[in-house]
Amino acid sequence: MELDPMFALAGKTALVTGASRGIGAATAQLLAQHGAHVIVSSRKQAACEETAAAIRANGGQATAIAAHIGEVAAIESLFAQIAAGGHMLDILVNNAATNPYFGPMIDMELAAFDKTVEVNIRGYFYASVLAARAMRGRGGAIVNVASVNGRRAAPGQGVYSMTKASILSMTEGFAKELSPNKIRVNAVLPGLTDTKFAGALTQNPDILKPLLRAIPLGRVAQPEEIAPMILFLCSPAASYITGASFAVDGGFLA
């Protein structure tokens, strides 16, 4: 099948964090289908290898490199390994995230707060810094996977929501600073999605029912329904888009 050149990524190298499952895995597979060599990254090498193997089995190109986005040294090692492998980064999809606590903000332990911030804010920030340095002089695209919670804080997820709001501001700041280097920076705001990460919500009928009532389309998204927006923002079709945030949420924020 011949790909539409507006969405073709042949010759591009894309790093997707949190790519071993859920939205990250769906995104890695879709970018590879459109020609990108995908660096599949998450905390566990075996899980990365599984996603990368699935991409290669489908005729795509993928390299698995494990990294904990909550650790500065691990991020630095990830980018060093990408460079050592002869890959020039063109695309970064910041997707790895954590939410170790569900409950009132006033009862949250500082250790859980720190972990949430280290992954969801510092991890996105530092990965973006290193990616921008690697793309400088050539251009590229950074897509931050945020959340509808960044616009509308969710009960029991106050700090997680706060970090996702920070990502939206970070996206706008980087977009303005990096535009002279032809690096576009945008964000995607998924709504409730059927992933292991969201299992505490989607697998509990008492929690899920009121959530579905707030979604005009009346259902949970599949990861494969979020990935196309990320592909679009990485592609030539989005060449005049930067500093923007796009909700893929079944109408939740409408």
Side-chain angles (χ1 to χ4, degrees):
M1 180 182 68
E2 186 176 350
L3 297 175
D4 186 327
M6 291 297 286
F7 297 93
L9 301 176
K12 304 293 186 182
T13 296
L15 166 61
V16 182
T17 68
S20 64
R21 64 191 187 197
I23 293 171
T27 298
Q29 291 162 0
L30 189 59
L31 296 183
Q33 288 169 17
H34 284 75
H37 183 126
V38 180
I39 309 297
V40 176
S41 189
S42 68
R43 288 186 302 156
K44 298 179 180 179
Q45 185 67 24
C48 294
E49 292 284 3
E50 187 174 339
T51 299
I55 289 172
R56 291 191 291 266
N58 198 36
Q61 303 176 72
T63 301
I65 305 176
H68 192 321
I69 298 302
E71 300 174 358
V72 170
I75 299 173
E76 292 174 343
S77 176
L78 169 61
F79 279 85
Q81 289 180 70
I82 293 171
H87 301 292
M88 298 181 69
L89 197 64
D90 302 286
I91 295 165
L92 167 65
V93 179
N94 276 316
N95 173 70
T98 191
N99 187 21
Y101 173 79
F102 187 89
M105 295 171 74
I106 62 171
D107 294 330
M108 188 177 194
E109 297 289 339
L110 280 179
F113 175 90
D114 289 343
K115 180 178 180 180
T116 309
V117 170
E118 286 166 2
V119 175
N120 295 3
I121 299 180
R122 190 182 69 187
Y124 275 49
F125 170 78
Y126 197 40
S128 296
V129 167
L130 296 187
R133 291 174 183 171
M135 297 173 187
R136 193 161 43 197
R138 297 181 299 107
I142 297 173
V143 178
N144 295 317
V145 179
S147 169
V148 291
N149 291 7
R151 292 265 180 85
R152 191 175 297 171
Q157 302 175 71
V159 171
Y160 173 79
S161 300
M162 181 181 74
T163 63
K164 291 301 184 178
S166 296
I167 290 168
L168 302 182
S169 179
M170 185 190 308
T171 296
E172 295 173 358
F174 271 128
K176 292 177 180 179
E177 289 193 10
L178 299 178
S179 59
N181 293 303
K182 299 181 180 179
I183 299 171
R184 298 182 299 102
V185 187
N186 293 289
V188 173
L189 288 69
L192 186 61
T193 306
D194 187 15
T195 65
K196 184 176 180 180
F197 185 87
L201 304 176
T202 60
Q203 300 303 314
N204 186 326
D206 292 333
I207 296 177
L208 181 60
K209 287 180 182 178
L211 290 176
L212 292 180
R213 286 196 292 268
I215 301 171
L217 289 185
R219 64 176 178 84
V220 176
Q222 294 302 310
E224 293 76 14
E225 295 179 292
I226 309 299
M229 178 60 77
I230 299 173
L231 167 66
F232 166 67
L233 293 172
C234 293
S235 75
S239 60
Y240 196 60
I241 301 175
T242 195
S245 301
F246 297 87
V248 187
D249 63 352
F252 174 76
L253 291 178

